[in-house]
Amino acid sequence: RIWGSTKMRAVRGKVLKGISRIKASSITGKSDKASISKSNGMDDELSCLSADCLDFLGHVLFSGALMIEAKSGKGFRRLWVNLTKTGIEYKEYHDSEQKHEIPLTDIELIVSTVVDAGKIKVFRNEGDRCIEIENKDQIASIPWIDEQIQGKISAIEYGEDDFFVVCCELGFFRGRVFHFRASTSFERELWRESLILTMQLTPGKAVIPISDLRRFQLQCRYFYESPPSQIATALLISSSFIMTMAEAQVLPQEGTVADSIFSSIGDAFNWIFTAELIFNFFSNFLQPFLSDAWNWFDTFVVVSRFLLASVGGGTQILRCIRAIRIFRLFKRVRSLLRLIKALLASMPKMLNAMALVLIMASIYAILAVQFFADLPGEDDCDAANTCPTALFGNFGKSFFTMFQVMTLDGWGDAARALMRITSQPVLVAIFFMSFLLLVTYVLLQVVICVLVGEFQNAVAEFAPTGGKGDAGARPPPAFYLETSCGCPLEPLVRQLYDSEGLEQRDRRVRDVFTTVAAGRAHVNAAALATGL
């Protein structure tokens, strides 16, 4: 419905025009760079788009791996970069949680060379001004650039595949010039034009100075999310858990020296974690902190410790709270967090299979109550715990017994006792053997298979796509379009990207052109959902 709406008319027309242009370039062999340069960049192609178009896209609009010059100016680092609706995010690798962001409101200028003319193109965020100059000497003639920024632009060494983002002097980065290097000029032009288009379509993106308090808050956030800080917190959590295990081993009596030592160590850890929670709250104030469930768990652990200590008593509860504090480690250790996410993702289908097991166990429990609850017991049934009334007296007892039988724990004693009591041992044997064959050896194995299969799929989904510490992982593509937002063209884009070689990609582009642009086939939502 969105794809066919009036708001998407411009997007539909430009998508078809773009496909036609790709088709023409694949037939004539002309470079995509030429087609873009003829249209003077993407401005003419996308000039009819409005801010409403961004509403149909996800938070991440554009992604890829770019070279970024280090802050010291010595060398480049290859980082993963996301162009979002709010700014430019860059991080160590694709699925890294620690990231830095250049807000759109902090960007003042975008500078790069023109693809074919060798000129310098300067775009200013405020007022959407764009100008082309022949060389760096003409920068001083631009009236809307102050002298300080003119000096920074003049000092830039322009490369064919480079573009630069100049930040505001009053922003977080204090006028820093970010030097980005793409793999090709075409890729550079796509990044530059996409960034400019996003800034033009985003309302309220004018340069906004930030206060010293906000700058300090962001610095605290980057420090808190840095790997050294997370490693230190993980070591503290592990040390606290080891102390709890030692306390459970020693079992100090209340009022003794050992109890006083363990209590003092526990109070010290609690004050440390309280300071860490306050620092986290200040760094991520307010919505980022409240939107993270792990922060709620941290708050519960810290506040509960203080509440129990204030009212007095509750020593056992305090020790339990110290023990569950180890769950905070899952947030800090990436490998553990991936396993937890994979396990939670595999639970829904596993619970469906487990529900079938419980239903069959409940059916057998009801049948056991009807068959065995009223049988007289043997003289020693209470001592042997094989009395029918104790095992199958009501549904609860019967269900627990059948669950015990499902685990193969002592079911033979109960079955043989019933064989001796009843006059139909064959039926008793059939009852228990059918339950074991159906539930234990079939349905329970189905639950395990479903859990393992879904867990493997979830692990593959949450697996890292490259970066430090991920040896053997598939590195992220150097450049691709991120459309994981339910866009109708998402399957089509991913199929084109996953093509094995240029020949297969050309064939797929030709098929798309025939199906969509030439209008030889009816395209509906189902066809788009399967990538045509």
Side-chain angles (χ1 to χ4, degrees), residues 235-508:
L235 290 177
L236 286 173
I237 296 173
S238 302
S239 302
S240 174
F241 187 68
I242 293 174
M243 187 273 296
T244 305
M245 290 191 296
E247 185 180 10
Q249 175 66 26
V250 176
L251 293 176
Q253 297 296 324
E254 190 171 353
T256 61
V257 177
D259 180 65
S260 176
I261 293 175
F262 280 112
S263 298
S264 299
I265 296 176
D267 292 339
F269 274 116
N270 198 60
W271 281 108
I272 292 174
F273 290 128
T274 302
E276 182 257 342
L277 181 65
I278 295 174
F279 188 82
N280 182 15
F281 181 77
F282 172 76
S283 303
N284 295 280
F285 186 85
L286 177 62
Q287 192 273 337
F289 180 87
L290 298 178
S291 61
D292 191 346
W294 289 104
N295 292 332
W296 288 94
F297 178 76
D298 294 349
T299 305
F300 166 76
V301 172
V302 172
V303 173
S304 300
R305 179 74 173 81
F306 278 110
L307 289 178
L308 292 174
S310 62
V311 299
T315 305
Q316 294 180 345
I317 301 178
L318 287 176
R319 291 171 179 170
C320 293
I321 292 177
R322 292 176 189 170
I324 65 174
R325 186 179 282 161
I326 191 63
F327 287 113
R328 300 181 60 206
L329 193 64
F330 296 155
K331 177 183 177 182
R332 271 77 185 180
V333 182
R334 292 176 53 80
S335 57
L336 289 178
L337 184 59
R338 282 197 295 267
L339 290 179
I340 294 298
K341 288 182 178 180
L343 184 61
L344 294 177
S346 60
M347 290 296 289
K349 291 188 178 179
M350 188 274 292
L351 291 178
N352 292 335
M354 180 61 73
L356 183 58
V357 173
L358 296 179
I359 290 174
M360 294 304 301
S362 300
I363 293 174
Y364 272 85
I366 295 173
L367 294 178
V369 171
Q370 301 299 322
F371 293 157
F372 310 128
D374 297 331
L375 292 177
E378 296 178 310
D379 295 338
D380 59 344
C381 66
D382 292 335
N385 197 23
T386 56
C387 180
T389 303
L391 297 177
F392 306 103
N394 53 43
F395 176 78
K397 296 179 179 179
S398 180
F399 184 83
F400 181 80
T401 301
M402 299 312 299
F403 190 85
Q404 182 180 1
V405 172
M406 182 176 62
T407 62
L408 303 178
D409 178 25
W411 71 275
D413 297 335
R416 288 187 176 89
L418 291 175
M419 289 181 183
R420 291 192 298 268
I421 295 173
T422 62
S423 58
Q424 298 177 331
V426 176
L427 295 180
V428 175
I430 292 175
F431 177 83
F432 282 96
M433 292 176 63
S434 63
F435 177 79
L436 289 174
L437 291 175
L438 180 61
V439 178
T440 302
Y441 292 107
V442 177
L443 294 182
L444 198 59
Q445 307 307 314
V446 170
V447 173
I448 297 175
C449 291
V450 171
L451 176 60
V452 172
E454 292 298 319
F455 184 78
Q456 289 178 341
N457 296 335
V459 167
E461 179 181 354
F462 293 114
T465 54
K468 295 181 179 179
D470 296 320
R474 179 174 180 261
F479 172 73
Y480 77 97
L481 180 64
E482 177 65 52
T483 56
S484 57
C485 56
C487 174
L489 291 179
E490 176 182 355
L492 180 61
V493 171
R494 297 200 180 279
Q495 283 197 14
L496 292 175
Y497 167 71
D498 292 333
S499 301
E500 299 177 358
L502 294 177
E503 183 178 353
Q504 186 184 45
R505 183 169 300 175
D506 288 342
R507 185 171 64 253
R508 289 181 173 180

Side-chain angles (χ1 to χ4, degrees), residues 101-166:
E101 182 181 25
I102 310 173
L104 294 181
T105 55
D106 202 6
I107 298 176
E108 186 161 353
L109 298 175
I110 301 174
V111 185
S112 67
T113 57
V114 182
V115 176
D116 56 347
K119 300 179 181 180
I120 299 176
K121 181 179 289 188
V122 181
F123 173 83
R124 187 184 185 188
N125 184 8
E126 189 173 356
D128 293 341
R129 299 179 179 179
C130 189
I131 190 173
E132 291 184 6
I133 56 179
E134 295 292 339
N135 50 58
K136 294 188 292 185
D137 298 335
Q138 297 181 359
I139 294 177
S141 61
I142 304 177
W144 37 268
I145 299 181
D146 55 39
E147 295 182 358
Q148 190 173 8
I149 296 180
Q150 288 177 3
K152 292 183 178 181
I153 298 178
S154 301
I156 291 176
E157 294 295 333
Y158 296 89
E160 182 181 357
D161 304 329
D162 301 347
F163 67 97
F164 304 85
V165 174
V166 182

Side-chain angles (χ1 to χ4, degrees), residues 69-261:
E69 187 177 22
K71 189 175 182 180
S72 60
K74 299 179 180 179
F76 283 79
R77 298 170 57 199
R78 187 172 181 84
L79 301 177
W80 187 261
V81 183
N82 292 329
L83 173 59
T84 69
K85 293 181 179 180
T86 58
I88 304 174
E89 296 177 354
Y90 59 96
K91 44 192 176 181
E92 287 290 338
Y93 36 87
H94 180 260
D95 58 346
S96 174
E97 294 186 358
Q98 185 198 8
K99 59 188 177 183
H100 295 261
E101 182 181 25
I102 310 173
L104 294 181
T105 55
D106 202 6
I107 298 176
E108 186 161 353
L109 298 175
I110 301 174
V111 185
S112 67
T113 57
V114 182
V115 176
D116 56 347
K119 300 179 181 180
I120 299 176
K121 181 179 289 188
V122 181
F123 173 83
R124 187 184 185 188
N125 184 8
E126 189 173 356
D128 293 341
R129 299 179 179 179
C130 189
I131 190 173
E132 291 184 6
I133 56 179
E134 295 292 339
N135 50 58
K136 294 188 292 185
D137 298 335
Q138 297 181 359
I139 294 177
S141 61
I142 304 177
W144 37 268
I145 299 181
D146 55 39
E147 295 182 358
Q148 190 173 8
I149 296 180
Q150 288 177 3
K152 292 183 178 181
I153 298 178
S154 301
I156 291 176
E157 294 295 333
Y158 296 89
E160 182 181 357
D161 304 329
D162 301 347
F163 67 97
F164 304 85
V165 174
V166 182
C167 295
C168 173
E169 288 289 342
L170 300 178
F172 172 75
F173 294 99
R174 295 184 178 274
R176 178 181 171 183
V177 178
F178 284 87
H179 185 175
F180 295 91
R181 176 167 294 171
S183 301
T184 63
S185 299
F186 176 62
E187 180 183 333
R188 184 279 315 271
E189 196 70 8
L190 284 175
W191 273 102
R192 178 191 172 280
E193 298 291 351
S194 299
L195 177 58
I196 292 177
L197 180 62
T198 304
M199 297 173 67
Q200 290 175 337
L201 297 182
T202 302
K205 46 73 185 175
V207 176
I208 300 178
I210 64 173
S211 62
D212 294 337
L213 177 62
R214 175 59 178 167
R215 183 181 293 108
F216 178 69
Q217 182 184 16
L218 292 176
Q219 291 173 346
C220 292
R221 179 190 299 180
Y222 293 147
F223 171 77
Y224 179 77
E225 295 177 351
S226 63
S229 175
Q230 294 299 307
I231 292 174
T233 306
L235 290 177
L236 286 173
I237 296 173
S238 302
S239 302
S240 174
F241 187 68
I242 293 174
M243 187 273 296
T244 305
M245 290 191 296
E247 185 180 10
Q249 175 66 26
V250 176
L251 293 176
Q253 297 296 324
E254 190 171 353
T256 61
V257 177
D259 180 65
S260 176
I261 293 175

